[in-house]
């Protein structure tokens, strides 16, 4: 987002009030609860949008923090690696909410690569850190993920499969950012005589 206050990076004095340890602990708990609650398994694609500004108690897009993003990304990727699922990191609106995925993931799902490299002020600190930590990252414009985490009102719905179902977690925030999670389920088809597989609900 456009920054109208300085260079858009978190002031050093503001960072002093942020507990990175607490943010890491909250990220781990949220990610673990989400993956379990959504039934995420190996090779399932998960979309995550994250505002480091909101985590630090600032308005989204105004004070991007690479330090905060670094803690969140490392904690989240560590938990996801344990389940073998695949991350799609949503960039900010300046990149039209494009996503960063591993090249192998793009090939597996048939997503077309586009040419952009996220930066803190054009993509966001979260996507920038994911790009740095992934083995062979590429950008794609669209995905259809089986579940997702929205950290700080980043609006991930456009990248979820139908039908999205909200998940309630015991932790509602990471730092000061609201966390909204969703899983997806198969659509119901048929009429009054139709029967459904309860395992897919």
């Amino acid at each position: 987002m456009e920054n109208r206050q300085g260079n858009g990076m978190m002031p050093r004095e503001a960072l002093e009030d942020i507990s990175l340890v607490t943010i890491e602990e909250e990220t781990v708990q949220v990610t673990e609860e989400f993956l379990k609650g959504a039934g995420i398994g190996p090779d399932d694609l998960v979309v995550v949008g994250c505002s480091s500004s909101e985590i630090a108690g600032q308005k989204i897009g105004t004070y991007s923090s690479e330090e905060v993003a670094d803690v969140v990304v490392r904690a989240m990727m560590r938990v996801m690696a344990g389940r073998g699922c695949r991350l799609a990191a949503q960039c900010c609106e300046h990149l039209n909410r494009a996503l960063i995925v591993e090249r192998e993931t793009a090939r597996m799902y048939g997503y077309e690569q586009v040419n952009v490299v996220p930066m803190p002020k054009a993509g966001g600190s979260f996507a920038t850190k994911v790009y740095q930590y992934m083995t062979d990252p590429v950008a794609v414009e669209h995905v259809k993920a089986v579940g997702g985490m929205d950290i700080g009102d980043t609006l991930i719905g456009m990248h979820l499969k139908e039908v999205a179902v909200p998940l309630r977690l015991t932790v509602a925030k990471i730092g000061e950012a609201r966390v909204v999670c969703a899983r997806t389920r198969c659509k119901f088809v048929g009429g009054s005589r139709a029967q459904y597989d309860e395992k897919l609900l």
Side-chain angles (χ1 to χ4, degrees), residues 3-194:
N3 167 59
R4 300 184 185 278
Q5 302 178 35
N7 62 7
M9 301 305 292
M10 182 70 66
R12 179 60 54 182
E13 58 273 17
L15 280 172
E16 294 174 358
D17 296 328
I18 300 170
S19 171
L20 297 180
V21 172
T22 300
I23 288 170
E24 179 179 10
E25 291 172 348
E26 291 169 344
T27 301
V28 168
Q29 186 171 352
V30 164
T31 306
E32 288 177 344
E33 285 191 29
F34 160 70
L35 295 178
K36 182 178 180 180
I40 302 298
D43 289 330
D44 282 346
L45 186 63
V46 171
V47 61
V48 179
C50 176
S51 168
S52 60
S53 298
E54 290 282 336
I55 290 174
Q58 306 295 324
K59 182 180 177 182
I60 189 170
T62 58
Y63 283 122
S64 186
S65 170
E66 293 187 58
E67 291 92 339
V68 169
D70 187 75
V71 169
V72 171
V73 169
R74 285 189 291 107
M76 185 179 296
M77 292 181 78
R78 185 171 68 248
V79 175
M80 289 185 175
R83 280 199 175 244
C85 58
R86 295 176 178 269
L87 171 62
Q90 180 178 275
C91 298
C92 74
E93 67 172 279
H94 275 153
L95 298 188
N96 298 329
R97 307 202 193 285
L99 305 114
I100 305 303
V101 299
E102 291 280 12
R103 186 181 303 275
E104 179 185 2
T105 300
R107 288 174 176 165
M108 174 182 291
Y109 284 94
Y111 297 138
E112 182 179 355
Q113 180 182 355
V114 294
N115 187 2
V116 72
V117 175
M119 296 294 170
K121 290 175 65 179
S125 290
F126 175 75
T128 299
K129 286 297 177 181
V130 169
Y131 191 92
Q132 292 172 1
Y133 282 120
M134 281 186 169
T135 302
D136 189 10
V138 298
V140 299
E141 286 190 287
H142 306 286
V143 302
K144 287 296 181 182
V146 299
M149 296 191 293
D150 184 329
I151 305 167
D153 302 318
T154 60
L155 304 178
I156 61 168
M158 62 191 287
H159 296 305
L160 288 172
K161 291 173 62 176
E162 300 174 337
V163 174
V165 179
L167 280 176
R168 306 299 182 198
L169 307 183
T170 61
V171 177
K173 288 185 174 183
I174 294 177
E176 296 301 316
R178 292 185 297 180
V179 176
V180 178
C181 295
R183 63 177 179 88
T184 58
R185 64 158 175 82
C186 295
K187 294 180 181 179
F188 298 139
V189 297
S192 60
R193 300 181 184 179

